[in-house]
Structure formats: C-alpha cells, structure tokens
Amino acid sequence: MGVRGEGAGAAGSAGRGRAGAEGDRRAAPGAGPAAKAGEQRGPVSVTGRALCVLEAFTPAAPVRTLTDLARHTGLPLTTVHRLVGELARWGALEREEGGGYRIGLRLWEIASLAPRGLGLRESALPQLSDLVHVTGENAQLAVREDLSVVFVERLAGRGAVPVLTRVAGRFALMPTGVGRVLLAYAPPEVQERALAGPQARCTPATECDPGVLRQSLAEVRRTGVAICERQVTDDSVSVAAPVHGPHGDVVAAVSVVAHADRVRPHTLVPLVQVAARGISRALGAEPGGRAPADPRTHTGAAGAAGPAGPAGPADPAGPAGPGLTGRGRGGRSGSARRR
C-alpha cells in the first residue's frame, strides 16, 4: 500500500525515537499546555486564565501544586490561588490530602456531553467489542480535531500488542492509521497544512516525505482503507477505515492495531471495513454510502475498488461477517502502557 504505521499516537522532533503521550500532545499543532504556556502568559480575561490553569494538567502531570501551576501558566501565585479556589468550589478541580490539585469529576461530567464523544462511542462499542473478540488485538475509534487525532475509545484483547493510545489522548495525524484516514477525507486546505508542517519520525520506518505522504492519502481515498506498519512503534501494524455520518461525510475512523510480526495486514481489512460500515449504519448513514470525493482528484472515496473488491467494503453477511454482528463482547477499555 505504501501507507505505513500505527501502534500509538506519535509526534515529536525528528530522530527523537519512540514518543510518549505527553510528547505527542506537545507536538500536535496548537495542542498541549507546554506548547501554549509561553503564548498565553498573562491572558487578559478571567476565562482565559482559568482555562490556562486547567490546561496545565496532563497525563504526565495529573496532580499540580499551586506553585507548579503558577510556574507553568506564568500567572502570579495570588491569581492562581484565587482561580484554583473558584474551580475547586465548582468541582472542576479536586484537592488532594498532600495539597495538590487534580481534575474534578464535575469537569468530566460536562465533557462527557460532547456529541463527538459519548454518542459516537456508544454507537461504536458493539463493533469495537466484536473486533477485539475476533482479532484479540486493539480496536480504536478516533476523530479529527484540526491537525490532531483524538481517540474516543479503545478496547484491547488479552494478547494485544502494547500501545500508547489512551481514551481522550491526542496524537499527530500522519503516523497513525486513523489519522491517515481522517486526513485523506479532510478539506484540501487541512491536508495542505498537514503536509507542509514538520513530520514526526518515531521509528526508522516512519515516512516523512511530503510527496510520499500525499500519494498515501490518495491511496486511502482510492481504496477506502489505510494500512500503516511500524510508523510509531517497531512492533505494530494498523488497519483503519472511515466511518460515515448521516450525510455521507467521514466523521470518524476505526482501526485494529495488531502485532506486525503475527498478522498479514490485508487479512484485517475486511474485518475493519465491516466494523466501519456497522458504526456508520448506527449513526444513520445510508447503506453503501460513500464519502465525498476529494475535490482536487477523481480518485473516488471510501467504498471504491480496493482490498475488499470492486463492490467496496465487505458485506457483513459475507465471509468477513462472522463475529462482527454488533453483539458486544469482552475487551478492556482505557489507556495502555508500554511493557
């Protein structure tokens, strides 16, 4: 296919090696408190200052002291003390016995109302569970936010390849299978910005050449699938397909991330495409619906002739169907740590 790699999210400077989730957040354009702290020192509005405080909490630093927050945000300690007090009284922050603060449950309650999160996740869970049951690997669901991938859900089988992905984690688009799919169907101006920016090199196999990446995106549009091998970690391969909304547009991407040395990627293609079609139907997409063609090309869209054959993605009733019927099965959700 020429489209390579996912096993986790990745971003970071070239030659850096395997990236952690916090490094990925910093590298995503416009993402990550570390990247923004310098830009937002002394925000004018109270709202801006409060958001700057909340943004300081990351997976790598889930607990912060007042001094930490003042240093990270560049705000005066007295201002941080006042803002943190108000946020804690509202429930956005919780105070620990040692004096530090962490994100509170009230903020999680509000965030769970995001339509691209909870509703999409509930529609996709049966198909993701079936993917885990059939493959024993990782099944992931993601959406695009500007030049980043945000993972809505991840389930993993007992023998799944370890990944860095976590629910609500943010990663760069290019190195990941779901990112390639989402970018392939994004507006042309978004694609051009992504191709013009610096590319993360996380493994020796990571593709960073803009010309090759442009061809890879065209191949995704032609076949309706991305096969990404050893781009973010050395031991993983990802197969991803687009999820369509009621109007035929691509609203998300689903993938399986498996052991690169144990599976032949093309054997996963029909399974992932069946799952993507099942999620699309749950969201109200028309059966056999296609994504809008890229306005600059005539390569077609998801469902075009590809690994699943001229008729497009495999039919759930066909050979790839058993086990992907929408019945929820086991799988463990949440973040995973590299072993």
Side-chain angles (χ1 to χ4, degrees), residues 73-95:
T73 61
L75 297 172
L77 185 60
T78 53
T79 300
V80 170
H81 185 273
R82 175 175 55 81
L83 289 172
V84 167
E86 293 179 4
L87 290 169
R89 283 191 292 274
W90 183 79
L93 295 177
E94 296 177 355
R95 192 171 190 273

mmCIF file of all heavy atoms in Angstrom, residues 73-95:
data_model
loop_
_atom_site.group_PDB
_atom_site.id
_atom_site.type_symbol
_atom_site.label_atom_id
_atom_site.label_comp_id
_atom_site.label_asym_id
_atom_site.label_seq_id
_atom_site.Cartn_x
_atom_site.Cartn_y
_atom_site.Cartn_z
ATOM 1 N N THR A 73 1.840 28.306 34.066
ATOM 2 C CA THR A 73 0.985 29.260 33.360
ATOM 3 C C THR A 73 1.610 30.641 33.214
ATOM 4 O O THR A 73 1.196 31.415 32.351
ATOM 5 C CB THR A 73 -0.359 29.419 34.096
ATOM 6 O OG1 THR A 73 -0.115 29.933 35.419
ATOM 7 C CG2 THR A 73 -1.085 28.081 34.189
ATOM 8 N N GLY A 74 2.594 30.949 34.061
ATOM 9 C CA GLY A 74 3.159 32.284 34.047
ATOM 10 C C GLY A 74 2.300 33.306 34.762
ATOM 11 O O GLY A 74 2.568 34.507 34.685
ATOM 12 N N LEU A 75 1.267 32.857 35.470
ATOM 13 C CA LEU A 75 0.383 33.755 36.208
ATOM 14 C C LEU A 75 0.926 33.972 37.625
ATOM 15 O O LEU A 75 1.609 33.103 38.175
ATOM 16 C CB LEU A 75 -1.020 33.159 36.293
ATOM 17 C CG LEU A 75 -1.755 32.962 34.968
ATOM 18 C CD1 LEU A 75 -3.048 32.179 35.186
ATOM 19 C CD2 LEU A 75 -2.056 34.302 34.313
ATOM 20 N N PRO A 76 0.612 35.123 38.234
ATOM 21 C CA PRO A 76 1.029 35.354 39.621
ATOM 22 C C PRO A 76 0.433 34.300 40.554
ATOM 23 O O PRO A 76 -0.684 33.819 40.333
ATOM 24 C CB PRO A 76 0.465 36.741 39.936
ATOM 25 C CG PRO A 76 0.276 37.391 38.602
ATOM 26 C CD PRO A 76 -0.084 36.288 37.659
ATOM 27 N N LEU A 77 1.170 33.956 41.603
ATOM 28 C CA LEU A 77 0.713 32.936 42.532
ATOM 29 C C LEU A 77 -0.618 33.317 43.177
ATOM 30 O O LEU A 77 -1.486 32.461 43.388
ATOM 31 C CB LEU A 77 1.773 32.709 43.613
ATOM 32 C CG LEU A 77 1.504 31.589 44.615
ATOM 33 C CD1 LEU A 77 1.373 30.244 43.906
ATOM 34 C CD2 LEU A 77 2.631 31.519 45.655
ATOM 35 N N THR A 78 -0.788 34.602 43.486
ATOM 36 C CA THR A 78 -2.054 35.036 44.100
ATOM 37 C C THR A 78 -3.230 34.829 43.145
ATOM 38 O O THR A 78 -4.320 34.442 43.561
ATOM 39 C CB THR A 78 -1.979 36.515 44.499
ATOM 40 O OG1 THR A 78 -1.574 37.294 43.349
ATOM 41 C CG2 THR A 78 -0.965 36.724 45.617
ATOM 42 N N THR A 79 -3.005 35.087 41.872
ATOM 43 C CA THR A 79 -4.058 34.878 40.873
ATOM 44 C C THR A 79 -4.391 33.406 40.737
ATOM 45 O O THR A 79 -5.563 33.012 40.681
ATOM 46 C CB THR A 79 -3.614 35.433 39.502
ATOM 47 O OG1 THR A 79 -3.347 36.832 39.621
ATOM 48 C CG2 THR A 79 -4.692 35.203 38.454
ATOM 49 N N VAL A 80 -3.360 32.557 40.690
ATOM 50 C CA VAL A 80 -3.576 31.113 40.605
ATOM 51 C C VAL A 80 -4.331 30.619 41.829
ATOM 52 O O VAL A 80 -5.254 29.805 41.716
ATOM 53 C CB VAL A 80 -2.224 30.379 40.470
ATOM 54 C CG1 VAL A 80 -2.418 28.874 40.621
ATOM 55 C CG2 VAL A 80 -1.580 30.704 39.126
ATOM 56 N N HIS A 81 -3.984 31.109 43.015
ATOM 57 C CA HIS A 81 -4.653 30.699 44.252
ATOM 58 C C HIS A 81 -6.143 31.017 44.185
ATOM 59 O O HIS A 81 -7.001 30.191 44.548
ATOM 60 C CB HIS A 81 -4.009 31.399 45.444
ATOM 61 C CG HIS A 81 -4.560 30.956 46.764
ATOM 62 N ND1 HIS A 81 -5.678 31.542 47.342
ATOM 63 C CD2 HIS A 81 -4.169 29.973 47.618
ATOM 64 C CE1 HIS A 81 -5.944 30.948 48.495
ATOM 65 N NE2 HIS A 81 -5.043 29.997 48.678
ATOM 66 N N ARG A 82 -6.482 32.200 43.677
ATOM 67 C CA ARG A 82 -7.887 32.598 43.586
ATOM 68 C C ARG A 82 -8.632 31.750 42.549
ATOM 69 O O ARG A 82 -9.729 31.256 42.802
ATOM 70 C CB ARG A 82 -7.984 34.080 43.229
ATOM 71 C CG ARG A 82 -9.407 34.562 42.993
ATOM 72 C CD ARG A 82 -9.444 36.064 42.758
ATOM 73 N NE ARG A 82 -8.565 36.458 41.668
ATOM 74 C CZ ARG A 82 -8.884 36.365 40.378
ATOM 75 N NH1 ARG A 82 -10.067 35.856 40.028
ATOM 76 N NH2 ARG A 82 -8.054 36.762 39.451
ATOM 77 N N LEU A 83 -8.016 31.576 41.377
ATOM 78 C CA LEU A 83 -8.674 30.799 40.325
ATOM 79 C C LEU A 83 -8.869 29.348 40.736
ATOM 80 O O LEU A 83 -9.933 28.758 40.509
ATOM 81 C CB LEU A 83 -7.838 30.867 39.045
ATOM 82 C CG LEU A 83 -7.811 32.210 38.308
ATOM 83 C CD1 LEU A 83 -6.791 32.162 37.176
ATOM 84 C CD2 LEU A 83 -9.193 32.547 37.765
ATOM 85 N N VAL A 84 -7.852 28.759 41.329
ATOM 86 C CA VAL A 84 -7.945 27.357 41.752
ATOM 87 C C VAL A 84 -9.038 27.199 42.805
ATOM 88 O O VAL A 84 -9.790 26.209 42.801
ATOM 89 C CB VAL A 84 -6.587 26.864 42.273
ATOM 90 C CG1 VAL A 84 -6.735 25.538 43.010
ATOM 91 C CG2 VAL A 84 -5.607 26.715 41.112
ATOM 92 N N GLY A 85 -9.145 28.153 43.710
ATOM 93 C CA GLY A 85 -10.196 28.093 44.721
ATOM 94 C C GLY A 85 -11.580 28.090 44.093
ATOM 95 O O GLY A 85 -12.461 27.314 44.493
ATOM 96 N N GLU A 86 -11.796 28.956 43.101
ATOM 97 C CA GLU A 86 -13.091 29.012 42.428
ATOM 98 C C GLU A 86 -13.359 27.731 41.639
ATOM 99 O O GLU A 86 -14.481 27.195 41.661
ATOM 100 C CB GLU A 86 -13.137 30.226 41.511
ATOM 101 C CG GLU A 86 -13.112 31.556 42.246
ATOM 102 C CD GLU A 86 -13.133 32.746 41.300
ATOM 103 O OE1 GLU A 86 -13.237 32.520 40.072
ATOM 104 O OE2 GLU A 86 -13.042 33.882 41.784
ATOM 105 N N LEU A 87 -12.348 27.234 40.962
ATOM 106 C CA LEU A 87 -12.511 25.999 40.178
ATOM 107 C C LEU A 87 -12.792 24.806 41.080
ATOM 108 O O LEU A 87 -13.593 23.929 40.743
ATOM 109 C CB LEU A 87 -11.252 25.745 39.339
ATOM 110 C CG LEU A 87 -11.026 26.709 38.165
ATOM 111 C CD1 LEU A 87 -9.618 26.526 37.588
ATOM 112 C CD2 LEU A 87 -12.072 26.495 37.071
ATOM 113 N N ALA A 88 -12.166 24.785 42.228
ATOM 114 C CA ALA A 88 -12.381 23.681 43.170
ATOM 115 C C ALA A 88 -13.782 23.739 43.768
ATOM 116 O O ALA A 88 -14.444 22.705 43.943
ATOM 117 C CB ALA A 88 -11.328 23.722 44.271
ATOM 118 N N ARG A 89 -14.252 24.944 44.070
ATOM 119 C CA ARG A 89 -15.609 25.060 44.631
ATOM 120 C C ARG A 89 -16.659 24.626 43.612
ATOM 121 O O ARG A 89 -17.682 24.049 43.972
ATOM 122 C CB ARG A 89 -15.868 26.510 45.073
ATOM 123 C CG ARG A 89 -15.194 26.869 46.395
ATOM 124 C CD ARG A 89 -15.698 28.201 46.929
ATOM 125 N NE ARG A 89 -15.263 29.308 46.091
ATOM 126 C CZ ARG A 89 -14.094 29.930 46.212
ATOM 127 N NH1 ARG A 89 -13.218 29.520 47.132
ATOM 128 N NH2 ARG A 89 -13.771 30.939 45.433
ATOM 129 N N TRP A 90 -16.413 24.884 42.332
ATOM 130 C CA TRP A 90 -17.355 24.487 41.285
ATOM 131 C C TRP A 90 -17.274 22.997 40.994
ATOM 132 O O TRP A 90 -18.236 22.385 40.531
ATOM 133 C CB TRP A 90 -17.062 25.285 40.015
ATOM 134 C CG TRP A 90 -18.014 25.018 38.894
ATOM 135 C CD1 TRP A 90 -19.272 25.522 38.745
ATOM 136 C CD2 TRP A 90 -17.795 24.156 37.768
ATOM 137 N NE1 TRP A 90 -19.843 25.042 37.586
ATOM 138 C CE2 TRP A 90 -18.961 24.197 36.974
ATOM 139 C CE3 TRP A 90 -16.729 23.355 37.364
ATOM 140 C CZ2 TRP A 90 -19.087 23.480 35.788
ATOM 141 C CZ3 TRP A 90 -16.854 22.642 36.184
ATOM 142 C CH2 TRP A 90 -18.017 22.712 35.415
ATOM 143 N N GLY A 91 -16.129 22.381 41.264
ATOM 144 C CA GLY A 91 -15.951 20.950 41.028
ATOM 145 C C GLY A 91 -15.052 20.618 39.857
ATOM 146 O O GLY A 91 -14.847 19.444 39.541
ATOM 147 N N ALA A 92 -14.482 21.641 39.206
ATOM 148 C CA ALA A 92 -13.576 21.386 38.084
ATOM 149 C C ALA A 92 -12.242 20.844 38.561
ATOM 150 O O ALA A 92 -11.552 20.145 37.825
ATOM 151 C CB ALA A 92 -13.351 22.668 37.282
ATOM 152 N N LEU A 93 -11.866 21.171 39.795
ATOM 153 C CA LEU A 93 -10.643 20.657 40.399
ATOM 154 C C LEU A 93 -10.963 20.027 41.746
ATOM 155 O O LEU A 93 -11.948 20.402 42.403
ATOM 156 C CB LEU A 93 -9.602 21.768 40.589
ATOM 157 C CG LEU A 93 -9.044 22.431 39.326
ATOM 158 C CD1 LEU A 93 -8.085 23.560 39.710
ATOM 159 C CD2 LEU A 93 -8.351 21.416 38.441
ATOM 160 N N GLU A 94 -10.149 19.074 42.158
ATOM 161 C CA GLU A 94 -10.281 18.452 43.470
ATOM 162 C C GLU A 94 -8.946 18.549 44.195
ATOM 163 O O GLU A 94 -7.889 18.343 43.588
ATOM 164 C CB GLU A 94 -10.703 16.989 43.324
ATOM 165 C CG GLU A 94 -12.074 16.804 42.715
ATOM 166 C CD GLU A 94 -12.427 15.340 42.511
ATOM 167 O OE1 GLU A 94 -11.553 14.478 42.772
ATOM 168 O OE2 GLU A 94 -13.558 15.053 42.082
ATOM 169 N N ARG A 95 -9.000 18.835 45.475
ATOM 170 C CA ARG A 95 -7.774 18.988 46.271
ATOM 171 C C ARG A 95 -7.420 17.669 46.939
ATOM 172 O O ARG A 95 -8.284 16.987 47.482
ATOM 173 C CB ARG A 95 -7.950 20.062 47.340
ATOM 174 C CG ARG A 95 -6.647 20.486 48.014
ATOM 175 C CD ARG A 95 -6.885 21.704 48.895
ATOM 176 N NE ARG A 95 -5.637 22.280 49.355
ATOM 177 C CZ ARG A 95 -4.986 21.903 50.444
ATOM 178 N NH1 ARG A 95 -5.498 20.927 51.195
ATOM 179 N NH2 ARG A 95 -3.859 22.477 50.804
#
